[in-house]
Amino acid sequence: MSTQISIDMSSAIPPFEQVRSQLAALISAGILTPGTRLPTVRDLAADLGIAVGTVTRAYRELEILGLVTSRRRIGTVVAEGAPELVEPLKSAVDRLIEAADATNTPDEDVIAIVQGALLRRNV
Amino acid sequence: MSTSLVTVLLIVFAAVALFTVVMGIVLTVVVKTDDPSRGAKRRIQVLYSVAALVGLAFAALAAYAFPTIYVNSTEVPGLLAALAPLIAGILFVDIAAIGESFWPRPKGQKRGAYLTRRPALANAGAITQIATVVWATLLVVSLVLFGFIAVKGGEASGRSIAYVSTDPSVSGKSGPFPGWPYGIPMLVLAGVLIVFAVAVLHVIARRPAVSGTTPQSDAQLRRISATNLLKGTQASLAASLAGVLLIAGQSSANAGYWWGTPCMAMSLMVVVAGIIVLVWPSR
C-alpha cells in the first residue's frame, strides 16, 4: 500500500479534519479496502509532524462513523461493510471529475460546487 | 569504589559528552542536500561513524589502561578489561540512540505521509542479525559453561581451572579463567547491550519518515540504520566472546585440557568472522 495523505498547516481546516476527511474519502472510493491496516497513531503523527492527539481524534471520528475499527494488538483497520460508492453514484462522480478536468476546474471549486448543490437540495 | 575506577568512569563520561556535542554539531551543519534520501543516508553515515569512533576510542583506551594500570582497581583482578568490549558496545548503542531519537521532524506548511504500516522493530540485514544472535548465544553458553568448570573455593575461587592429573599427589590451578566472578558481570552487561540494541531498533522503526521519499526508499534507510546498529552490536559481542575463549583456552591448555587449543583457535575464528560482518557493505 503506498497511498499518501497530505495536510496543509496554513489551511483554515484543522489538521485532524484534513486527516479524517482524506481517510474517509479513500475508504469511500475503495482505495483503502476493508481489512487494510492503517498506520499507528504515533507513526502517522510523526510522519506528518503533528500531535499524536490530532491523529487520535481523526481515527476516533472515523470509528464513530463506522469506517474503521480499533483493536488492541491489531491496531486500526478499515471496517468490513464500510460505506462505499454505489455504482450509479460512482460513475456520476467519474463523469463530474472528467468534466472538471476538461474545463480545468480546480479541485477546490469542484468540492464547492458539490457542497453548494447539496445545500440547495436541503433548502 | 577506588579512586582509579572513578577516574576511568570520569574519562568515559567526558568522552561521551564531548562526542555527543560534536555529533550534534556535525549532524546539523553537514547534512544539507536537495535530495532528501541522499541527505538521510549521509546523516546515517555520520551518526554511525561517530558512534563507532566513540566505541573504538573507548576500546583503545581500555585495551591500553585496563589490563595494566587499572588491573587491580576492582575486587576481581582484570574485571574492567573483561567488561571493556561490552562497555564499548553499550557506548556505541547509546550514541546511536541519541542520534536516532533526534531524527528531524517534518517541516513546512504542506506535509505528506504514506499510509504504510511499519514493523515494531526495524529490519536489519540478515547476516548482521544472524551474527548478533550467534555471538550472544555462544557468549552466554560459554560463560555459563566456564562458570561451572572453574575451581570453587580458595583464594582464586571462580578465577582458575584445576590441573588435569591422574596422579593424586599432583595438584594445581591455572588462571586467569572466566568463571562466575567475570561471567556474571559479563552476562549482565551483555543483557544490557542486547536490550539497548532492541530498544534502538524500535526507535529506528518509529522515527519520522524522510519527507519526499517513497515508502521503499524510506524502508531502505531504516534498514541501513538497523544494519549499522547491529554491526556494532555484533562486533562488541564477538570481541567479548573471543576474549573469553582466548583466556579460557590459554588457562585450560596450560592445565592440560585437550579443548584448550581448539578454544583459542575458535577465538581467532570469531574475531575474523566478526570483522568480516563489520566491514561487509550495507545494502
Side-chain angles (χ1 to χ4, degrees), chain B residues 133-205:
Chain B
V133 172
V134 168
W135 302 149
T137 309
L138 286 177
L139 183 64
V140 171
V141 169
S142 54
L143 286 174
V144 171
L145 204 66
F146 296 145
F148 284 113
I149 291 173
V151 170
K152 287 154 197 74
E155 196 195 332
S157 176
R159 294 189 277 114
S160 57
I161 184 168
Y163 270 89
V164 178
S165 176
T166 48
D167 184 356
S169 62
V170 178
S171 68
K173 290 181 250 179
S174 173
F177 189 79
W180 293 125
Y182 300 98
I184 291 171
M186 286 185 81
L187 285 171
V188 170
L189 280 198
V192 169
L193 173 66
I194 291 163
V195 168
F196 279 16
V198 171
V200 179
L201 286 178
H202 182 72
V203 172
I204 294 169

Side-chain angles (χ1 to χ4, degrees), chain A residues 1 3 7 9 38 43 49, chain B residues 109 111 113 115 117 206 209:
Chain A
M1 182 173 64
T3 313
I7 58 163
M9 299 302 282
L38 295 180
D43 284 354
Chain B
Q109 295 297 318
R111 304 167 188 179
L115 299 175
R117 185 97 181 176
R206 298 279 78 80

Side-chain angles (χ1 to χ4, degrees), chain A residues 74-107:
Chain A
I74 298 168
T76 306
V77 294
V78 177
E80 295 288 340
E84 282 183 47
L85 279 180
V86 288
E87 191 38 53
L89 199 56
K90 196 176 175 188
S91 35
V93 170
D94 289 343
R95 283 202 303 279
L96 175 68
I97 293 166
E98 277 173 29
D101 287 346
T103 54
N104 290 325
T105 309
D107 290 356

Side-chain angles (χ1 to χ4, degrees), chain B residues 226-251:
Chain B
T227 304
N228 283 337
L229 177 82
L230 287 196
K231 274 185 177 185
T233 307
Q234 71 83 31
S236 166
L237 290 167
S240 296
L241 175 63
V244 167
L245 291 174
L246 182 69
I247 298 295
Q250 280 173 344
S251 299

Side-chain angles (χ1 to χ4, degrees), chain A residues 13-64:
Chain A
I13 304 165
F16 92 87
E17 176 54 26
Q18 294 183 47
V19 173
R20 188 207 64 78
S21 61
Q22 286 179 71
L23 289 174
L26 289 166
I27 294 168
S28 299
I31 296 167
L32 295 177
T33 53
T36 304
R37 295 174 78 188
L38 295 180
T40 63
V41 168
R42 285 183 186 280
D43 284 354
L44 190 56
D47 289 357
L48 289 170
I50 56 178
V52 171
T54 305
V55 180
T56 306
R57 187 173 171 191
Y59 276 19
R60 198 168 52 228
E61 297 216 355
L62 289 169
E63 200 172 356
I64 291 166

